[in-house]
């Protein structure tokens, strides 16, 4: 029996266009599976739109800030509405790349060395850079779809790259550039779905490379069985280190000297016709409507037990003064 599903799309940030494409693809897939679907355009008044829609579940087709970072998830928790993807904390941690890197290191997971720079310190970026070296990668500390990403090869270009990244959220992450094969691992219901290798015509899998063509994809990735097993094990460990659930995608670099490093975890990866997770699922024999249905079935809320207040509040103790 079909459910009343609200597909949340659009949003407030720079990834609105991609979110709308994901949303429309998800709507078509859910309707083909017999669900009653409402388009919920995220923005001011989202809480009122959700209440008036009378939904059974929310399917999050949002990307980036104010959609993938735990804020919308927190609203849905307060409303008691199940939703797809990771919970509040995991979403916030994954979106905040510097914080995610701290957790990766805490779990002994390899990730490129880097540092955070705020907008106010953009002009001091070279001073803060120290011996990190060049080339390096500069990207927004909280963002997705590789918006605002730059590969910096010369010291004089660092400050402007940091300033660009800071336009998207106010902070930049500068990382030592890891050279090698770019791969991404799809995860569904706590299991690895598969691994895709991305070959781009230029360094850095940026926004244009993702959405404007020119990239080639290899399914499975061109790695030995042993190397592939290591990459997928690292990806699943990173996903679990952040406490993710439902589904996700983990991006890594596999270097020629057989060192593999984790770049980031995507808790709401794109579900557009050119997105990577659907490509990985198709390689496993899972077509797009079936993938969307699996994601929907995994929708949930955080399991939080709230202790009930006592029926009677004890009266405050009375202190008696003894004359003397």
């Amino acid at each position: 029996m079909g459910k009343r599903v609200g597909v949340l799309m659009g949003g407030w940030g720079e990834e609105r266009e991609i979110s709308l494409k994901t949303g429309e693809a998800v709507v078509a897939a859910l309707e083909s599976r017999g669900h009653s679907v409402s388009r919920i355009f995220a923005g001011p008044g989202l809480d009122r739109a959700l209440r008036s829609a009378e939904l059974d579940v929310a399917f999050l087709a949002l990307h980036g800030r104010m959609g993938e970072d735990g804020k919308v998830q927190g609203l849905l928790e307060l409303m008691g509405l199940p939703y797809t993807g990771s919970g509040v904390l995991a979403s916030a941690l994954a979106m905040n790349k510097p914080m995610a890197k701290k957790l990766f290191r805490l779990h002994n997971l390899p990730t490129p060395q880097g540092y955070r720079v705020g907008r106010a310190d953009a002009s001091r970026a070279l001073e803060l850079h120290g011996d990190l070296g060049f080339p390096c990668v500069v990207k927004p500390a909280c963002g997705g779809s590789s918006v605002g990403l730059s590969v910096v090869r010369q010291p004089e270009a660092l400050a402007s790259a940091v300033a660009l990244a800071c336009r998207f959220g106010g902070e930049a992450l500068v990382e030592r550039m890891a050279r090698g094969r770019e791969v991404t691992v799809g995860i569904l219901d706590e299991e690895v779905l598969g691994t895709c290798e991305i070959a781009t015509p230029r360094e850095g899998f940026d926004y244009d490379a993702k959405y404007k063509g020119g990239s080639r994809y290899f399914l499975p990735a061109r790695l030995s069985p042993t190397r592939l097993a290591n990459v997928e094990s690292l990806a699943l460990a990173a996903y679990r280190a952040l406490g993710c659930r439902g589904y996700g995608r983990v991006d890594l670099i596999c270097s020629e000297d057989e060192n593999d490093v984790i770049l980031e975890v995507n808790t709401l990866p794109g579900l557009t016709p050119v997105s990577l997770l659907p490509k990985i699922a198709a390689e496993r024999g899972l077509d797009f409507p079936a993938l969307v249905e699996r994601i929907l079935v995994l929708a949930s809320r955080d399991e939080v037990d709230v202790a009930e207040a006592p029926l009677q509040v004890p009266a405050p103790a009375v202190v008696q003064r003894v004359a003397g």
Side-chain angles (χ1 to χ4, degrees):
M1 185 176 180
K3 294 183 177 181
R4 295 172 298 177
V5 185
V7 178
L8 277 64
M9 64 177 82
W12 296 259
E14 54 279 353
E15 296 177 64
R16 176 181 171 83
E17 178 185 350
I18 304 304
S19 172
L20 291 172
K21 291 180 179 179
T22 287
E24 290 300 333
V26 168
V27 167
L30 290 173
E31 287 180 339
S32 74
R33 305 284 290 198
H35 298 288
S36 174
V37 184
S38 299
R39 293 173 175 82
I40 308 291
F41 294 98
L46 176 59
D47 58 331
R48 295 191 297 273
L50 288 167
R51 289 189 180 92
S52 64
E54 298 182 347
L55 305 173
D56 295 321
V57 61
F59 196 111
L60 300 187
L62 298 168
H63 303 309
R65 292 181 291 149
M66 291 295 288
E68 198 171 349
D69 58 3
K71 294 183 175 67
V72 168
Q73 288 81 357
L75 171 63
L76 294 168
E77 289 286 345
L78 291 173
M79 296 181 65
L81 187 62
Y83 55 92
T84 56
S86 293
V88 176
L89 180 59
S91 299
L93 290 172
M95 180 56 62
N96 190 313
K97 295 179 179 67
M99 188 60 68
K101 289 170 75 70
K102 288 182 180 180
L103 283 171
F104 295 156
R105 294 192 181 100
L106 183 66
H107 287 79
N108 200 31
L109 299 174
T111 188
Q113 183 181 351
Y115 61 95
R116 184 198 310 237
V117 186
R119 181 184 286 116
D121 293 322
S123 61
R124 297 179 52 240
L126 194 56
E127 176 187 339
L128 300 171
H129 196 73
D131 61 355
L132 194 68
F134 294 91
C136 65
V137 177
V138 181
K139 53 190 172 184
C142 299
S145 292
S146 299
V147 175
L149 181 146
S150 304
V151 176
V152 178
R153 296 175 177 81
Q154 300 297 330
E156 56 269 20
L158 181 61
S160 60
V162 169
L164 171 64
C166 286
R167 289 173 51 193
F168 307 99
E171 289 187 325
L173 174 64
V174 183
E175 288 183 319
R176 176 171 290 161
M177 186 167 185
R179 296 182 180 275
R181 299 178 189 270
E182 298 187 46
V183 300
T184 190
V185 179
I187 296 173
L188 180 65
D189 195 14
E190 295 295 312
E191 294 183 356
V192 170
L193 191 59
T195 301
C196 175
E197 178 186 344
I198 307 110
T200 62
R202 54 189 177 276
E203 287 184 313
F205 190 39
D206 60 11
Y207 184 92
D208 288 347
K210 281 185 177 181
Y211 300 111
K212 295 185 179 181
S215 297
R216 293 184 298 156
Y217 306 97
F218 297 91
L219 289 151
R222 296 173 298 177
L223 300 170
S224 69
T226 301
R227 189 82 182 274
L228 184 61
N230 180 67
V231 165
E232 293 181 343
S233 176
L234 284 177
L236 191 57
Y239 177 90
R240 289 172 172 168
L242 300 182
C244 299
R245 70 171 184 236
Y247 73 113
R249 214 192 67 228
V250 183
D251 299 336
L252 306 94
I253 296 289
C254 303
S255 69
E256 296 301 326
D257 58 3
E258 299 198 354
N259 289 319
D260 306 319
V261 295
I262 299 159
L263 298 181
E264 61 184 79
V265 176
N266 303 277
T267 55
L268 291 178
L271 297 174
T272 71
V274 298
S275 295
L276 297 172
L277 187 64
K279 292 180 187 293
I280 293 170
E283 180 70 14
R284 284 284 298 271
L286 195 63
D287 65 21
F288 188 74
L291 171 64
V292 171
E293 181 74 27
R294 287 281 302 275
I295 292 171
L296 180 69
V297 168
L298 295 170
S300 64
R301 295 187 294 129
D302 287 340
E303 296 292 337
V304 178
D305 293 325
V306 180
E308 294 184 359
L311 295 177
Q312 293 182 346
V313 178
V318 177
V319 178
Q320 295 182 339
R321 294 183 180 277
V322 179

